[in-house]
Amino acid sequence: MGLIVETKQAPRWQDELYDLLRKANFTQFAYVPDAGHSIMIDRSLKDPGVHSIGLTSEEEGVALVAGTDLGGGRAVLLMQSSGVGNCINMLSLIKGCHFPFLTFVSMRGEFGEGNPWQYAMGQAVEPVLKAMGVICLRAERPEDVVPTASAAITMAYQGGQSVAVLLAQRLIGVKKF
Amino acid sequence: MNPKGKGAAAAEALAPRFKLDRTKVVPALVGRAEDFWIVSGLAGAFWEMAAMTNNGANYYGLGGAMGAACMMGLGLALTRPEKKILVVTGDGELLMSLGSLATIGTINPPNLSILCVDNGHYGETGYQRSHTSLGVDIEKFAQGAGIKMTCTVASEADIPNGARMLREGNATAFVLASVHPADGLKVKASLDGAACRLRFRDAMLAASKPQ
């Protein structure tokens, strides 16, 4: 139960976001492991009511979300900004076939980034997602997260859109090197 | 050295791969298509399953998004554990998403079966050779990924076991049908994936209503 200590120290918005997704009937959490999503990933692993699905590459999650929708369910993809680049052709499935799509992207390569390798994809996330028809919403502060995620869920699963919520590097915290 | 390269020589030594007629072996393996909810990969498998289901509402065929078929099947299988989900795809489509076999192997949903129709070639683009005709064995990838039940159907004698595996497994099944590089069954079918989504989803929801 050592993880409880970790959860207490963590920003509460991650727990609130997980609870919001569960209330909105998301039962599949797909991800490539990432520090920015670690609390949500851990909660999905401990939650008997959901499938927690580790992916080898992010585009697998795009296809999984579509397959889940075909069955009448809801899946969410959690990924880092670098993973967005792996998804691009697979998003033609979402755009061309009008699947609802919701993803949360933990941003790197922006505010305060010290690793030069993160900038190319981090800075390309918004233009590349928009080019594939994905609406981008940004959350910069802890109090933004739940209202932004609520709006995104409505846009995706009532509005029938594909939506990415970009969790800003300023929100997540800058990794030290 | 063989002019086609070392890999090709190795593959040719592996008789009797790439011998079966896909227009016969695929229907023999699948049997009654209406017993499954089917997702197909693009190209040969798309036309083949459109023909076998007569463009049925239990069929979602991909016209693009190469590499999506297995993961769509996983999402569907986890969402509808009471329904039997069949993914039918080709060697080219599967080679593009070998990682999805690893992801599926960590879960092994019992209601998911994958049929890979392996003709060793990219038929849709002019029958260029694929890695499987140069020595790569996708069944071994599936085994290495931890998929519990796998087999290769390379002769008529292998068909009953492959057909049983697709239907009766208590874990995810992976069946590799090694077929001759020639076109499969084909029927006129729409490539409109949005219309197909609505048709499939409506049928699935209607079939999933509590009695």
Side-chain angles (χ1 to χ4, degrees):
Chain A
M1 300 301 278
L3 281 172
I4 286 173
V5 178
E6 231 175 81
T7 306
K8 270 186 185 163
Q9 291 168 340
R12 268 184 52 76
W13 62 263
Q14 290 220 9
D15 285 309
E16 288 171 355
L17 177 53
Y18 187 83
D19 293 338
L20 176 72
L21 289 166
R22 289 291 279 120
K23 266 192 218 118
N25 298 318
F26 285 83
T27 57
Q28 295 183 40
F29 289 74
Y31 51 83
V32 172
D34 174 58
H37 291 302
S38 60
I39 294 166
M40 293 226 285
I41 293 170
D42 287 345
R43 288 212 40 197
S44 73
L45 283 165
K46 284 187 247 169
D47 183 347
V50 307
H51 292 287
S52 180
I53 304 155
L55 310 167
T56 70
S57 183
E58 291 81 356
E59 71 264 34
E60 291 174 13
V62 178
L64 179 93
V65 168
T68 300
D69 173 73
L70 280 184
R74 294 183 179 185
V76 64
L77 172 59
L78 312 177
M79 62 179 159
Q80 194 190 82
S81 44
S82 49
V84 169
N86 291 344
C87 294
I88 299 309
N89 183 52
M90 203 59 93
L91 287 169
S92 59
L93 173 64
I94 302 297
K95 185 177 185 187
C97 307
H98 305 174
F99 282 99
F101 177 68
L102 178 62
T103 183
F104 290 85
V105 181
S106 56
M107 293 302 295
R108 296 287 307 271
E110 51 174 45
F111 186 87
E113 177 65 67
N115 180 353
W117 292 80
Q118 289 286 353
Y119 278 98
M121 195 60 233
Q123 290 297 310
V125 161
E126 287 201 46
V128 155
L129 284 176
K130 283 178 182 165
M132 290 308 288
V134 181
I135 298 168
C136 296
L137 306 177
R138 275 183 76 88
E140 297 278 352
R141 298 169 303 170
E143 60 269 32
D144 292 342
V145 174
V146 163
T148 308
S150 290
I153 293 167
T154 303
M155 291 161 79
Y157 282 91
Q158 288 179 42
Q161 303 300 304
S162 56
V163 186
V165 176
L166 311 185
L167 303 168
Q169 190 153 7
R170 190 167 199 173
L171 168 74
I172 287 161
V174 173
K175 188 172 175 180
K176 297 278 185 285
F177 289 95
Chain B
M1 196 171 145
N2 185 307
K4 290 173 190 162
K6 258 167 103 174
E12 278 157 13
L14 290 174
R17 289 177 76 195
F18 308 119
K19 297 289 187 236
L20 291 172
D21 176 354
R22 74 186 286 166
T23 67
K24 296 199 172 69
V25 71
V26 174
L29 285 168
V30 173
R32 271 170 45 102
E34 55 268 41
D35 294 343
F36 298 99
W37 294 84
I38 300 171
V39 175
S40 89
L42 78 184
F46 173 91
W47 301 112
E48 196 157 49
M49 298 322 293
M52 283 190 55
T53 61
N54 197 22
N55 286 304
N58 64 326
Y59 170 50
Y60 192 87
L62 290 161
M66 193 164 178
C70 285
M71 287 303 291
M72 285 188 80
L74 177 64
L76 197 44
L78 294 178
T79 308
R80 292 289 166 197
E82 75 284 6
K83 301 283 192 289
K84 190 75 181 170
I85 311 301
L86 175 65
V87 173
V88 182
T89 191
D91 48 306
E93 208 264 355
L94 201 42
L95 284 165
M96 198 170 275
S97 58
L98 289 172
S100 64
L101 294 180
T103 298
I104 289 166
T106 65
I107 303 172
N108 268 300
N111 60 326
L112 176 62
S113 293
I114 300 166
L115 171 59
C116 177
V117 184
D118 178 8
N119 66 6
H121 290 76
Y122 294 92
E124 191 77 4
T125 53
Y127 281 96
Q128 299 90 345
R129 296 185 84 145
S130 82
H131 293 47
T132 62
S133 67
L134 298 167
V136 171
D137 184 338
I138 303 180
E139 190 207 347
K140 289 206 174 82
F141 272 98
Q143 286 170 350
I147 293 178
K148 300 282 186 203
M149 299 194 309
T150 74
C151 72
T152 291
V153 173
S155 72
E156 279 177 27
D158 300 330
I159 291 173
N161 182 46
R164 203 162 39 242
M165 209 177 260
L166 289 177
R167 284 174 175 266
E168 293 173 9
N170 54 9
T172 297
F174 180 91
V175 174
L176 187 88
S178 189
V179 302
H180 185 67
D183 290 357
L185 299 171
K186 193 162 181 175
V187 71
K188 199 169 159 61
S190 166
L191 283 164
D192 184 340
C196 192
R197 167 182 173 256
L198 293 176
R199 186 181 65 186
F200 186 102
R201 200 169 178 277
D202 286 350
M204 174 61 89
L205 293 180
S208 303
K209 276 191 187 138
Q211 296 302 306

